[in-house]
Structure formats: C-alpha cells, structure tokens
C-alpha cells in the first residue's frame, strides 16, 4: 500500500524577488551578511566598499549584480556612484566606518570631524542622492548604536551623534516620503570591526556578554541582517529607530 502524498503548502516566494538592494560598506560584517540574506531572498545586490580585493571576494561570494570600490565619505564619488546606477533601486543599507571616541585630553578634532562626516553627513548625502533612484515604498537604512546612550568619560561625541541619528531619520522620512527611512541601533555586534577594536580582549568580551545579557547570547551580523530584511519588507515602517542589542543597554546603562 502506498502512503498518501501531500502538496507542500509551506513554499513561498522569495521576499525581495525582482528588487534591488545597494549595500554601502558591504564587503564585511553587517553589510556583507545583509547582502547574503537579501540575495537569498531574491534581490539583486550592489555592494560597495573601499578595499577593491575584499569587495571583489564579497561580491563573488554573495552573487552580487555588481560592486563598486570607493570611499563613501568622498561625497563627489558617492554622487557619481548614484548617478551611474543604470536601474532604479529599492533599498539602500549604509554601514561603513566605525565610531570615534576619546577622552578630552586625547581628543583629535580632525578624527572627530571625519566621524561627523561619516555618521551624520553621509546619511544626508545618501538621502540626497538616493531620492531620485529609490522606488516608492523602498527604504534607506542607517546603522546607529545603543552604547552611546549612556554617559561616560570619552563618549561626548559618540553620545551626541547617537542622539542625533533618530532625529535625522525622522526628518528624512518626512522629506523623502514615500521612500521610507529607518535606523537600526545596535549594541555589540560580533563583526570584524568589533574584533579590530577589542583585539585580544574579544573572547573575554563575548564571554561577559553571554553571562550578562538578558538574551544570554552574543548578537551577530545575521541578527542585524534579519532586522534589515524585515525593515525592507514591511512598508508600514518609516522614521523609526529599532534597537537590537540583546538587552545590553538594560544591563550596561
Ligand atoms: N559591530 C558593532 O558592534 C557595531 C555596533 C553599533 C554600530 N555599528 C556600526 O555599524 C557599521 C558597520 O559595522 P561593522 O561591524 O559591520 O563593520 P565592519 O565589520 O568593519 O564592516 C564595515 C564595512 O564597511 C566598509 N567601509 C568602511 N569604511 C568605509 C568607507 N569610508 N566607505 C565605504 N565603505 C566603507 C568596510 O570595507 P572597507 O574597509 O574595505 O571600506 C566593510 O565592508 C559601522 O558604522 C559601525 O559603527 C557597529
């Protein structure tokens, strides 16, 4: 007697089929992982980053439609990148440089200025350039943090930028509508950037987070990519800041 056969009713269309996603800073960490995920969900992917070799490897691995190597904080070059896009796009994720923090005696004004360019002016420039390229309902996604919400010696600049980003995103969401604009505020994420900042303290940091975070697990780039994908798909969300830190701000202030 043969067993009955059932149709598979769980099969679904990839969520971003036919859409195009640009990842600025897509050759490592959060950007690379998001590139992988949105590609698996059917999107065409365009990756950027500064280091051409690293970018080429990432693009090959992800199966990107194209990749362009340039420094996103070179705003003329950024404008040229958007001008040269040959198709309309649906979503842009902006990652890029890490944070700058230092106590006042060591504070370097040139580094601080570069940090303001990377974390405040870059989102504005992406918004200006993407306005004519992103299809209605698509989203611009920026990455901020939850760590700079606390006060501590050395955090003056990063705290100010952390406070500014949700305000920036709300205003851009209004100005760019019906394009959506959203912010992901992350705590510690286990990426090459975190490894570079922490050096031989990385394993101890991971262990401490596993012991102290309410979630008892370390947040990885795949967690951020999953949130980014949700924000791309859910057309009800704009002007919003989404915290994703495993509850880190609840235990670290
Ligand atoms: N990791 C965390 O714990 C954490 C927490 C909160 C917020 N964030 C923020 O999230 C963003 C991404 O972090 P991540 O951990 O994924 O960093 P990551 O592992 O260092 O990856 C950064 C990516 O951006 C590219 N990039 C860096 N500077 C760039 C520039 N000026 N122009 C173009 N591309 C650039 C890098 O490639 P190239 O170096 O080749 O350019 C790389 O592909 C950063 O802005 C970071 O401050 C991270």
């Amino acid at each position: 007697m043969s067993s009955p056969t059932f149709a598979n009713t769980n099969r679904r269309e990839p969520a971003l089929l036919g859409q195009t996603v640009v990842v600025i800073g897509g050759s490592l960490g959060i950007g690379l992982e998001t590139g992988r995920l949105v590609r698996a969900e059917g999107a065409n992917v365009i990756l950027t980053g500064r280091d051409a070799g690293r970018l080429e490897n990432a693009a090959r691995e992800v199966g990107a439609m194209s990749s362009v190597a340039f420094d996103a904080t070179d705003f003329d070059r950024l404008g040229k990148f958007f001008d040269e896009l040959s198709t309309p796009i649906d979503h842009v994720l902006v990652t890029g440089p890490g944070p700058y923090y230092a106590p006042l005696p060591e504070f370097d004004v040139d580094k601080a200025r570069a940090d303001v360019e990377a974390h405040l002016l870059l989102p504005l420039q992406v918004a200006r350039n993407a306005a004519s390229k992103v299809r209605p309902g698509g989203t611009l996604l920026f990455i901020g943090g939850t760590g700079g919400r606390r006060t501590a010696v050395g955090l003056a600049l990063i705290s100010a930028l952390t406070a500014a980003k949700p305000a920036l995103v709300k205003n851009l969401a209004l100005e760019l509508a019906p394009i959506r604009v959203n912010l992901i505020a992350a705590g510690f994420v286990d990426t090459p950037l975190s490894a570079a900042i922490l050096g031989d303290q990385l394993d101890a940091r991971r262990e401490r987070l596993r012991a102290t975070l309410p979630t008892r697990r370390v947040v990885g780039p795949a967690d951020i990519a999953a949130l980014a994908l949700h924000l791309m798909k859910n057309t009800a969300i704009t002007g919003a800041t989404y915290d994703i830190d495993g509850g880190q701000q609840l235990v670290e202030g």
Side-chain angles (χ1 to χ4, degrees):
M1 200 170 74
S2 63
S3 51
T5 54
F6 297 97
N8 182 354
T9 52
N10 289 331
R11 221 172 278 144
R12 63 165 178 84
E13 284 244 303
L16 299 181
L17 198 61
Q19 300 193 17
T20 299
V21 176
V22 171
V23 183
I24 294 180
S27 59
L28 280 179
I30 294 167
L32 174 57
E33 200 57 43
T34 304
R36 278 193 195 109
L37 182 63
V38 300
R39 180 76 194 115
E41 287 292 345
N44 296 315
V45 178
I46 301 170
L47 297 182
T48 85
R50 289 167 305 180
D51 185 291
R54 185 154 58 207
L55 183 63
E56 204 181 304
N57 289 338
R60 196 177 316 113
E61 193 215 312
V62 166
M65 183 166 80
S66 62
S67 62
V68 188
F70 66 96
D71 185 334
T73 61
D74 175 344
F75 295 143
D76 290 338
R77 185 63 191 86
L78 181 76
K80 189 165 176 284
F81 165 74
F82 279 101
D83 283 347
E84 287 175 350
L85 287 176
S86 55
T87 55
I89 55 177
D90 294 280
H91 310 285
V92 183
L93 171 70
V94 183
T95 77
Y100 174 64
Y101 42 88
L104 292 179
E106 290 141 41
F107 197 78
D108 181 323
V109 174
D110 289 334
K111 285 186 183 162
R113 206 170 270 135
D115 201 51
V116 171
E117 294 216 340
H119 293 281
L120 221 47
L121 297 186
L122 175 58
L124 275 164
Q125 292 288 3
V126 168
R128 292 179 68 213
N129 286 290
S132 61
K133 298 286 178 176
V134 176
R135 283 191 270 246
T139 186
L140 308 185
L141 283 176
F142 302 113
I143 314 268
T146 59
R149 291 194 188 147
R150 68 201 163 92
T151 40
V153 170
L155 296 192
L157 178 67
I158 189 174
S159 280
L161 291 175
T162 300
K165 275 191 179 176
L168 179 75
V169 158
K170 281 196 246 182
N171 282 276
L172 290 178
L174 192 63
E175 198 163 342
L176 289 187
I179 297 169
R180 299 175 297 115
V181 186
N182 290 296
L183 180 68
I184 292 172
F188 175 95
V189 188
D190 206 340
T191 66
L193 173 67
S194 299
I197 291 173
L198 287 164
D200 61 7
Q201 300 300 304
L202 179 63
D203 279 335
R205 182 72 172 130
R206 286 174 176 146
E207 233 169 84
R208 192 145 50 84
L209 286 165
R210 269 183 217 112
T212 58
L213 286 183
T215 51
R216 302 289 189 267
R217 64 183 275 274
V218 175
V219 174
D223 297 308
I224 312 299
L227 177 58
L229 173 64
H230 178 77
L231 294 172
M232 290 174 194
K233 288 189 303 185
N234 192 327
T235 54
I237 301 172
T238 193
T241 297
Y242 273 75
D243 292 6
I244 176 163
D245 68 352
Q248 194 176 341
Q249 67 195 303
L250 309 180
V251 292
E252 291 184 359

